[in-house]
Amino acid sequence: AVTVIDYVHERQGIYAVSAKALAKIEASDALSTQLKPIVDQRFEGADAFKKAVRGVVPAAEFGPLWGPLREASRTEDSPELGPVGVYFGGITVIAGLLATLTGSLLAERLRKRLPSSDFVVSAVGAFCGLPFLIAFLFVPFPYAWIMLFLAVFGLFLNTGPVNTILANVTPPAVRATAFALNIFLLHALGDVISPPVIGLVTGWFDWTTAFLLIVGMVAVAGALWSLGCLYLKRDTDRVPTLLA
């Protein structure tokens, strides 16, 4: 969540290297001379601004300079961080809740015809959310919020079905442990490591590249959900034998 909020905040930001910004970072005469070609130009989005700065500053000096210069150069007419968090929070709550209920209902309705309906719904949700996640990166605001809502809806369709899968393929004796391990892995491989990984990719490249990495992981998830369809019935049927 923090990563998306930061992305939107920086993407909507307006940046300009002004005399005031140079004073804030206590720029040397040499650095002021390097930045002179882009002084007083307005750049929409941190990615465009980063590209411009990289074009005039030596690579060895860019790393320690970028963070302070970005913050100092953000103009007063740039959107504040607070409203971005409110919008994203509202989208996550509403789309996530609707998707969770919808995913569970769809999987239940389809189960008689498709024994692997839980995996099917999860895979379809991932693949349907994928194009909207990509569109979110390129569609201008406020329409990008709609793309994000649809992407979140697709990605949250698996919430109910996944819990059903986990309950069905684990014996009662270890079910609580399985759910605990699942929650641990969700956080360990999700919100714990994602900020530093996204930050690393953003530092090397830009925000768009970092989020395209996320898009790739969503595609991998969809492929794994699809693969799971082949084994769900078999694994579910094996549970009674494990109890024997």
Side-chain angles (χ1 to χ4, degrees):
V2 175
T3 302
V4 176
I5 294 172
D6 289 339
Y7 163 72
V8 174
H9 184 239
E10 293 196 16
R11 176 181 162 183
Q12 290 188 292
I14 307 297
Y15 301 87
V17 180
S18 60
K20 183 179 179 180
L22 293 174
K24 280 185 177 180
I25 64 172
E26 300 179 349
S28 63
D29 291 341
L31 178 58
S32 298
T33 300
Q34 292 170 351
L35 294 172
K36 189 174 181 180
I38 63 172
V39 168
D40 293 329
Q41 294 185 40
R42 287 170 62 87
F43 298 92
E44 296 185 4
D47 283 355
F49 182 47
K50 177 184 281 189
K51 183 177 180 181
V53 174
R54 275 181 166 161
V56 296
V57 174
E61 300 176 21
F62 177 81
L65 170 66
W66 170 241
L69 180 62
R70 180 191 63 216
E71 294 305 314
S73 301
R74 188 178 177 89
T75 63
E76 294 181 355
D77 57 340
S78 297
E80 297 293 332
L81 182 61
V84 174
V86 173
Y87 296 151
F88 178 71
I91 286 174
T92 303
V93 170
I94 297 173
L97 178 59
L98 290 175
T100 299
L101 296 174
T102 302
S104 298
L105 180 62
L106 282 175
E108 183 66 30
R109 291 286 182 87
L110 294 173
R111 192 164 291 123
K112 290 183 178 180
R113 288 179 291 175
L114 294 173
S116 298
S117 61
D118 294 298
F119 270 129
V120 171
V121 170
S122 299
V124 169
F127 288 128
C128 286
L130 197 60
F132 293 111
L133 185 58
I134 296 173
F136 166 67
L137 303 178
F138 302 102
V139 171
F141 286 92
Y143 305 107
W145 290 121
I146 300 174
M147 300 299 105
L148 181 60
F149 181 94
L150 296 173
V152 171
F153 183 86
L155 299 182
F156 271 76
L157 273 180
N158 69 74
T159 305
V162 165
N163 286 322
T164 300
I165 292 169
L166 194 56
N168 288 340
V169 300
T170 53
V174 298
R175 192 164 291 156
T177 303
F179 274 96
L181 180 60
N182 180 56
I183 294 172
F184 170 77
L185 292 175
L186 281 174
H187 289 290
L189 301 179
D191 49 338
V192 172
I193 68 169
S194 58
V197 170
I198 294 299
L200 189 62
V201 177
T202 302
W204 284 344
F205 302 100
D206 53 35
W207 275 109
T208 301
T209 303
F211 267 80
L212 287 176
L213 175 63
I214 296 176
V215 170
M217 295 309 297
V218 172
V220 170
L224 292 176
W225 295 136
S226 301
L227 183 63
C229 293
L230 303 176
Y231 304 101
L232 181 57
K233 187 177 185 304
R234 181 203 67 181
D235 292 344
T236 302
D237 292 341
R238 287 179 61 189
V239 170
T241 65
L242 298 176
L243 300 175

